[in-house]
Amino acid sequence: MGKLIVKPGMINEGEGGKVRLLWFIDRVLMLLAFPAVFSLVAEYGFYLSPSQSLFIQSLDFSILWIFALGGLLRLLLISDRVSYLRSHWPDILIMLLILTFLIFPAQITAVMHSFLPGLLPGAIAKIYIVITQILLLLALVPPALRYSQRIMTFNLQPALLIIMSFLIFIVLGTLLLLMPKASVSGSMPLIDALFMSTSAICVTGLVVVDTATELTVFGQAVIMVLMQLGGLGIMTMTTFFAYMLGSGSGLKQYATLQSLLGEESLGRIRSTVIHVIVFAFVVEAVAAVILYYDFSTYGFSSVPEQLFFALFHSVSAFCNGGFSLWSDNLMAAEIQHSVTALVTIMFLIVIGGLGFPVITNIFMLLNYRVRSRFGLVKGEPVEAEQVDTLRLFPQKKSRKLKIRLSLHSKLVLITTSLLLSFGALGIALLEWNGALGALPVADRVFSALFHSVSARTAGFNTLDIGSFSVPSLFFLVLLMWVGASPGSTGGGIKTSTLAVAVLNISAIVSGRNRIDIFRKQVAPVTVVKAFSTVILSVFYIAFALFILLITEQFPFEELLFEVVSAVGTVGLSTGITSGLSQTGKLVIIVSMFIGRIGMLSVLGAVIRQRSFGRYAYTRENVMI
């Protein structure tokens, strides 16, 4: 159940025996995590004989009994049970569910029969096995989240913690995909498993094996979970569930999330994380329902399969993953001309690519305007930037918070709109009589808009990218290079980076030494970061392309497209991904990882940070 945290008052003085017994119980429950993980991995990752399955089921029930009895004994030994219940309520709830399941099997069977009277004994047994495994997994969640908090106490840079979290899950994803039940063939080459895991956790969508035909449902589910973790950010997900389970988050974790989400204020990190997760889950659920009903005409063999398809593509679109359960991606005949499904997917891509700080800002603005319209907000107006001051000075809480779109939100929204518009126009003009030539006029316009949206880091395609002309491929390269926005599920150099770079060039050309826009001045450090990001991105793309030109036999434009697609975490391809050599695949793997984390973050994690002294050298101009 989780490591025991004995707070003052939980155990009375002089009860050393209880402390030692509680310590022993805690260690036993910790060690039970190993056979529990072994059981789940064996059940879902390997093909077992009947005797082996029976042994695993017996092991599951034994682990659940020890978990439940250990948790109950721990509760009885604690003196201050009220404080313990408040801090460990998830453990208690899970313990009660486990005890109910173990003690009242006949009653649970009767409830099943009352709701589903046609259930056969074999079906009931399968449901029992599934419930057992779910409870086993639930028992592992609280301790896993609590122990993950320990990593935050290490003296590591936030960027390095983010890199470590992604690397850990890339390795775990690779191991899961290597299991016999993950692939139809029962075995997958290590390099391919590593490639698919990296592509999923970095929400890229480039594939070296067909997700639809070469992966089992278990393998596809692994890809979906990795996309969800990578899209929303592993640290974000961990912090959210830790908060929901009653575990606190320290300043180091907030600093790490600040880097991941792009949130300027540490005081708003927790609320931003909650908004991000809740918003993402709600949007994905609603979109999955829409896709489910649209998929009803596609001829699925069962309701679970149709539901899984809908949920998979909803997660893939919102997280800008680009993975599809059709071999031809969205070129498949079932979905290629479905306006409802494609519009839903485009909406998910755009929302996921805006960035969570922008989404939070928009919702705060809408909420403020609605409340103001109905007179629900009273007091003296205070700018949104002063929200942290309100927390520091409680006497000012009666003031009305005046919400406005931040400069960041305005730049992101304007740049995104321009890129989508010019992207659609450019694709339409370049491919009007080419890849779009066989479509009706309305479908040409719609398809051009779809690929403009998708090229911004999503990676879905309704047309064969390999049939695009070289100018069109280069135009898509530019869109992929820019990518999505900071704090989003996408990659690229980011829309705000492009906006700041362009504005700075405009300021220099017009003779100004600063960027003034919307009655705000862009901080000089932001300008430096923007140009550094652009330069590092170009340097890395050139380096990776040079390596591929040495190791691969494909045309220059196709290799350039592949590299930029990986660095931008887009996933579009001309069809050469599976034909790359092992060296080529490793280059793309590294490119996807760097594209998701960010070159500046990677360099900041590996280069030692130094503080400057309290002095400054004389300035001298350098000719440019």
Side-chain angles (χ1 to χ4, degrees), residues 9 46-47 96 122 341 348 418 529 598 606:
F46 295 87
Y47 295 98
L96 292 176
L348 290 171
L418 291 175
K529 286 184 177 180
V606 299

Side-chain angles (χ1 to χ4, degrees), residues 203-204 206 454-459 473-484 491-493 537-546 548 556-573 576 587-588 591-592 594-596:
V203 287
T204 304
L206 290 173
S454 183
R456 296 278 322 291
T457 73
L473 292 178
F474 184 75
F475 186 74
L476 289 178
V477 163
L478 296 178
L479 294 177
M480 294 190 299
W481 179 63
V482 176
I493 65 168
S537 176
V538 172
F539 280 177
Y540 178 80
I541 290 173
F543 173 75
L545 178 60
F546 179 72
L548 290 182
F556 174 85
E557 64 273 11
E558 293 185 357
L559 292 175
L560 173 64
F561 193 91
E562 198 79 9
V563 170
V564 177
S565 180
V567 174
T569 68
V570 181
L572 290 177
S573 176
I576 69 171
V587 171
I588 298 300
S591 300
M592 291 189 291
I594 289 178
R596 182 67 180 102

Side-chain angles (χ1 to χ4, degrees), residues 426-441:
I427 293 172
L429 292 176
L430 291 170
E431 292 296 332
W432 191 260
N433 295 316
L436 300 171
L439 301 174
V441 173

